[in-house]
Amino acid sequence: NISDTDIEDIPNDLFEHMTKLRELMLQQNKLTNVPASIQLTSKSLKYLNLGSNPIKELNKNSFMNLRQLTHLTIDNMTELVKIERETLQPLESLEALWCKENSKLTTFDLNAISEHRKLRLLDLSFCGIKSLTFHAITDPNVNWTEIEKFNHISVLKLDGNPFHCDCQLYKILYVLEHHLKDVFFTDNSARCETPYA
């Protein structure tokens, strides 16, 4: 636990011999990027908390080689504006993702988690999310009842976001609800902010 220590980076030699490190808490520091040195823990790291750091963007290099990671917390990042589609791809074992209270995060691409068959919990509550995107839904030939990209998620939290409720968002929520109806849970306080009606 090296949280709340005002660190801006982590040198490689810190993790060089930590071959069995399972939990790493880095929240409430001054990290502007995910430290590359974390990759040295790739064979053992299960839990990573990066919350409350001034990271602006997460991309395909952020979590490289962290294939054993099961729980990731990237919440309360006041500067986070973008999570690229490929960001979560290396996290093959991911079971829970807390990405809440990121007020500058206005969109979330569901393609980033669609192949994560072990993911059970996704918390996107109280961000600045106005829209969700999913590339397959733009295809007019898609049969909505046959999309099975999200049937493994049992908890999806979307409340507290300023959603713009258009046809695209409706289709995405329809797909999520259809496949998760037996176990799906989300807070019923999720509401449309625009349009008013």
Side-chain angles (χ1 to χ4, degrees):
N1 183 351
I2 43 179
S3 60
D4 200 15
T5 53
D6 289 338
I7 57 173
E8 297 178 7
D9 198 11
I10 299 176
N12 285 345
D13 57 0
L14 182 66
F15 298 127
E16 205 166 25
H17 302 292
M18 292 188 183
T19 57
K20 296 182 180 179
L21 183 67
R22 293 176 55 87
E23 297 182 34
L24 180 57
M25 289 164 275
L26 295 172
Q27 68 270 25
Q28 294 181 331
N29 281 302
K30 295 182 178 178
L31 301 171
T32 56
N33 293 296
V34 179
S37 57
I38 292 176
Q39 294 177 33
L40 295 174
T41 67
S42 63
K43 293 182 180 179
S44 61
L45 194 66
K46 299 281 188 183
Y47 302 87
L48 176 60
N49 188 335
L50 288 166
S52 301
N53 276 291
I55 296 173
K56 294 183 178 181
E57 180 179 313
L58 295 171
N59 56 46
K60 63 182 180 181
N61 298 319
S62 298
F63 304 110
M64 280 178 51
N65 301 321
L66 297 181
R67 293 184 179 89
Q68 304 303 317
L69 197 73
T70 59
H71 293 72
L72 175 62
T73 301
I74 48 174
D75 61 7
N76 201 25
M77 293 184 165
T78 56
E79 301 300 316
L80 185 64
V81 295
K82 187 175 184 181
I83 299 175
E84 290 185 1
R85 183 187 297 183
E86 302 84 10
T87 300
L88 304 172
Q89 193 171 5
L91 306 178
E92 299 171 358
S93 302
L94 193 64
E95 296 174 11
L97 174 60
W98 289 273
C99 182
K100 60 183 181 175
E101 299 177 19
N102 295 315
S103 59
K104 291 185 180 177
L105 186 65
T106 58
T107 62
F108 187 83
D109 189 344
L110 290 168
N111 294 291
I113 52 101
S114 63
E115 301 300 325
H116 286 72
R117 309 306 296 168
K118 296 179 181 178
L119 188 66
R120 300 287 176 260
L121 180 146
L122 176 59
D123 189 346
L124 295 170
S125 58
F126 298 98
C127 290
I129 298 175
K130 296 180 180 179
S131 63
L132 299 170
T133 57
F134 182 55
H135 68 81
I137 293 181
T138 60
D139 183 351
N141 300 317
V142 169
N143 182 339
W144 304 113
T145 60
E146 293 179 2
I147 298 175
E148 296 181 353
K149 293 285 188 182
F150 305 103
N151 59 359
H152 51 286
I153 298 176
S154 56
V155 177
L156 174 63
K157 295 189 175 187
L158 297 172
D159 50 305
N161 283 292
F163 285 113
H164 175 68
C165 293
D166 56 9
C167 294
Q168 179 74 5
L169 183 65
Y170 174 79
K171 289 175 182 178
I172 291 171
L173 294 177
Y174 174 82
V175 169
L176 292 170
E177 181 184 28
H178 176 76
H179 289 288
L180 306 174
K181 59 185 176 183
D182 294 331
V183 292
F184 179 75
F185 169 80
T186 187
D187 191 306
N188 62 9
S189 66
R191 293 284 183 271
C192 302
E193 180 164 299
T194 57
Y196 179 75

